[in-house]
């Protein structure tokens, strides 16, 4: 079980209600429940790796990353990238990963839904504002429950 910040990250994504069927990818610190990154992408390995590379360059590598069973995490660049950095990848979707990612993803999508966001740049700014202001609710389930 993660006991300190930046030890384990959970990565998940949701499809946004945009014509391009964009994904928002969240990277959440499991110990603090803080969203470290919220980025819009096409959910391809290149986007995932680029986001994680920027994040690890800024705050360092975690020991583990929890991901779902999506093929974007199973093969290709993501696997090479994580092996090169010595990061253990745990494939889910287990209840622990869901406990960490479900509430913030739902909160983000709910906060975006009523807004009229004209451009992708505006969408990116809105998501970043959400990320910086998000605070895990006191009722967030504890890991392992």
């Amino acid at each position: 079980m993660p006991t300190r910040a930046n030890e384990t990250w959970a990565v998940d994504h949701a499809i946004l209600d945009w014509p391009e069927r964009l994904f928002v990818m969240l990277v959440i610190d499991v110990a603090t429940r803080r969203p470290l990154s919220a980025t819009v992408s096409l959910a391809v390995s290149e986007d995932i790796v680029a986001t994680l590379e920027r994040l690890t360059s800024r705050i360092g590598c975690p020991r583990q990353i929890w991901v779902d069973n999506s093929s974007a995490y199973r093969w290709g660049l993501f696997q090479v990238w994580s092996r090169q950095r010595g990061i253990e990848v745990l494939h889910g979707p287990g209840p622990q990963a869901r406990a960490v990612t479900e509430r913030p993803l739902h909160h983000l999508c709910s906060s975006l839904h009523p807004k009229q966001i004209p451009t992708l740049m505006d969408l990116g700014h809105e998501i970043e504002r959400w990320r910086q202001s998000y605070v895990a609710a006191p009722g967030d389930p504890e890991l392992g429950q």
Side-chain angles (χ1 to χ4, degrees):
M1 293 302 263
T3 57
R4 60 182 168 77
N6 206 38
E7 181 179 18
T8 302
W9 297 347
V11 178
D12 205 351
H13 59 271
I15 298 172
L16 296 178
D17 189 19
W18 273 61
E20 296 88 357
R21 304 279 297 163
L22 297 170
F23 288 80
V24 63
M25 184 178 84
L26 278 184
V27 179
I28 298 178
D29 185 295
V30 174
T32 66
R33 304 292 173 100
R34 183 174 164 257
L36 302 173
S37 175
T39 55
V40 176
S41 79
L42 298 173
V44 296
S45 289
E46 293 85 0
D47 292 341
I48 294 165
V49 168
T51 296
L52 293 171
E53 184 62 28
R54 282 190 303 273
L55 194 53
T56 57
S57 293
R58 193 173 76 230
I59 64 173
C61 291
R63 188 176 58 79
Q64 290 181 337
I65 295 179
W66 297 349
V67 296
D68 65 19
N69 282 317
S70 166
S71 63
Y73 304 113
R74 287 255 179 221
W75 300 285
L77 292 175
F78 176 74
Q79 288 296 318
V80 171
W81 178 87
S82 59
R83 273 190 230 114
Q84 287 173 341
R85 282 147 191 80
I87 299 170
E88 179 183 14
V89 176
L90 300 178
H91 296 275
Q96 291 175 325
R98 279 199 187 117
V100 173
T101 61
E102 250 179 20
R103 187 173 289 192
L105 271 174
H106 178 73
H107 188 270
L108 172 59
C109 291
S110 294
S111 74
L112 293 174
H113 184 70
K115 297 180 179 171
Q116 296 294 324
I117 303 172
T119 68
L120 284 175
M121 184 178 289
D122 292 331
L123 175 62
H125 291 310
E126 190 64 36
I127 289 172
E128 181 58 17
R129 277 191 289 278
W130 171 86
R131 186 194 70 79
Q132 290 181 11
S133 67
Y134 181 79
V135 177
D140 274 353
E142 293 297 319
L143 296 175
Q145 291 185 350

